[in-house]
Amino acid sequence: MDDTSASTSLPTSGSSERGRLVTVPFLMVTLASLAYFTALGTLLPTLPRYVKDHLHGNGFEVGVSVGIFSVAAAILRPWAGRLGDRKGRRILVVGGSLIVAVSVAAYDFAGHLPVLIGLRMITGIGEAAVFVGAATAVQDLAPADRRGEAASYFSVALYAGLALGPTLGEHMAKTYSYRANWLTGGVLALVAAAFGMKTPIGEISDHRPTTILNRAALRPGVVMFLGLVPFTGFSAFLAIYGDKIGIHNVGPVFATYAGVVLLIRVFGARLPDQLGWRVASAVALGSATLAGLLFAVWASVIGVYVATVALSIGQSLLFPALFSAVVNDAPDAERSHAVGTFSVFFDLSGGLAAPMLGLVVSLWSERGAFAVASVIAASGFIALRSLRANTRGSVPAAA
């Protein structure tokens, strides 16, 4: 049996036929994700500074440069999901990684803001494919009662990238040049493409959804959108805010954030399944609200680290809790479509919130932007109450 047919025969309905969650295919998808998110992580501390110091952009322009990546990804997510259901997950992971590799390496040619914004949009196209393909493949490989745990482990790769990438990117930019930073990100994306060649294709379906967005993902996506706004402010403006309060190397702050998330996701991987997504989501929203408030009122080195820990706690629970609810509620034939729709809201949080918070920075300050982000996260409790009571993901799994 060739590789394609073997991959296609993998169980995708979440059965526990394999008896294990962590398998070789699962590890290969996770390694591809780790390399990919490390590539993106190298840009977090350096891109805002590059726009501000080298392209002479203001707060709003920094927000646009950061957020346009997410806007482009959001627009393409639903179509990426449909492609994943009809052609398999592998083409998304490999093709998307190659697009990211080429576009990030090309940042070296962005001597003007419009050029950089155009390249960021291309990077967002690659992001739409990679995330949907990898996240769906992980769920294909997970037993039904361990999908929250699978999402937690998958997101370990994401946050390991956020732990490693910013420190690596800042080192390359300061020790060598921004060119070295961009090339490092491009090479890491190529590594992701190489690991992605082993991504299981999954079950291919000819089912054609009648709507652009998958309904199972809409309301959980809104909750995630609101809860992610403080993180958007953190990732877009921490470097500039840190310069003002004496943190000139924000790599350790990003590493602290990612490290706390990793600890919770590894040692508390089953918390979203055990608590149920409603309780886990409520805890996440409360922590995100508190984090935004602390960033706004405690303008010191210690304050930033305390707020970062609070943010980490919230973000460690928000995605896996809501993600497992979406996957459990969506038909198997629409799994990639549901993942694509759900991740649209992840992108919209960056694509819409980053420019909006950037405008607040231009008119007020970074602290004002964090205060606004805190209020938006708090409004997530209203959205959480509106979710359907009969969502299958709301039933906690047995410990």
Side-chain angles (χ1 to χ4, degrees):
M1 181 180 294
D2 63 20
D3 181 57
T4 299
S5 60
S7 299
T8 305
S9 66
L10 287 172
T12 59
S13 60
S15 71
S16 56
E17 177 182 332
R18 286 174 169 266
R20 289 189 299 153
L21 171 61
V22 181
T23 60
V24 172
F26 187 94
L27 288 174
M28 296 304 290
V29 175
T30 303
L31 287 172
S33 303
L34 173 61
Y36 171 73
F37 288 118
T38 303
L40 293 189
T42 62
L43 309 176
L44 287 176
T46 55
L47 186 70
R49 287 194 180 118
Y50 181 76
V51 174
K52 179 177 179 291
D53 297 335
H54 289 261
L55 302 183
H56 310 293
N58 56 31
F60 177 71
E61 289 168 331
V62 170
V64 170
S65 300
V66 172
I68 197 66
F69 161 87
S70 298
V71 172
I75 293 172
L76 270 293
R77 295 276 195 202
W79 282 271
R82 290 185 177 190
L83 180 64
D85 285 327
R86 297 186 62 196
K87 300 296 183 181
R89 327 311 188 197
R90 184 181 303 164
I91 189 174
L92 298 180
V93 177
V94 176
S97 296
L98 292 175
I99 291 172
V100 170
V102 173
S103 61
V104 169
Y107 288 3
D108 188 48
F109 301 101
H112 302 281
L113 188 62
V115 177
L116 178 63
I117 290 175
L119 289 171
R120 290 285 290 166
M121 292 178 68
I122 295 173
T123 306
I125 294 172
E127 155 68 13
V130 176
F131 188 93
V132 171
T136 307
V138 166
Q139 292 298 309
D140 288 342
L141 295 163
D145 62 345
R146 301 182 70 179
R147 283 179 173 154
E149 182 182 3
S152 290
Y153 286 136
F154 167 68
S155 62
V156 164
L158 191 159
Y159 288 99
L162 290 182
L164 300 171
T167 301
L168 176 61
E170 201 154 47
H171 170 75
M172 297 303 292
K174 289 185 174 181
T175 305
Y176 302 102
S177 65
Y178 282 107
R179 172 181 293 178
N181 184 189
W182 313 143
L183 291 177
T184 299
V187 169
L188 286 168
L190 288 177
V191 173
F195 281 119
M197 292 296 294
K198 297 297 183 180
T199 302
I201 293 176
E203 184 175 324
I204 296 176
S205 170
D206 290 329
H207 174 73
R208 296 177 182 269
T210 57
T211 58
I212 295 176
L213 300 177
N214 188 279
R215 293 180 180 179
L218 292 179
R219 292 187 180 184
V222 170
V223 176
M224 187 176 69
F225 168 85
L226 298 171
L228 282 173
V229 173
F231 171 75
T232 299
F234 171 79
S235 61
F237 300 106
L238 177 66
I240 299 172
Y241 181 53
D243 287 338
K244 294 182 178 180
I245 62 173
I247 306 178
H248 300 295
N249 181 0
V250 295
V253 182
F254 280 110
T256 298
Y257 168 81
V260 174
V261 172
L262 285 172
L263 286 173
I264 296 174
R265 293 269 174 96
V266 172
F267 295 104
R270 302 213 67 186
L271 281 175
D273 292 323
Q274 292 169 340
L275 296 175
W277 67 264
R278 286 183 181 275
V279 173
S281 298
V283 173
L285 290 171
S287 297
T289 301
L290 175 62
L293 182 62
L294 289 173
F295 278 121
V297 302
W298 197 352
S300 69
V301 175
I302 295 177
V304 164
Y305 276 96
V306 173
T308 298
V309 171
L311 185 65
S312 305
I313 293 171
Q315 301 306 298
S316 68
L317 295 174
L318 187 67
F319 171 77
L322 293 169
F323 187 57
S324 62
V326 169
V327 172
N328 283 337
D329 204 40
D332 290 345
E334 298 180 10
R335 185 172 295 160
S336 279
H337 188 214
V339 172
T341 299
F342 182 64
S343 58
V344 163
F345 293 91
F346 188 94
D347 294 315
L348 287 178
S349 183
L352 299 181
M356 181 195 69
L357 296 177
L359 184 60
V360 176
V361 170
S362 296
L363 298 176
W364 190 1
S365 66
E366 288 82 13
R367 295 174 67 181
F370 285 123
V372 170
S374 178
V375 173
I376 293 175
S379 70
F381 286 103
I382 300 174
L384 184 62
R385 288 177 60 88
S386 73
L387 291 178
R388 293 181 301 164
N390 64 345
T391 300
R392 283 181 285 167
S394 64
V395 181

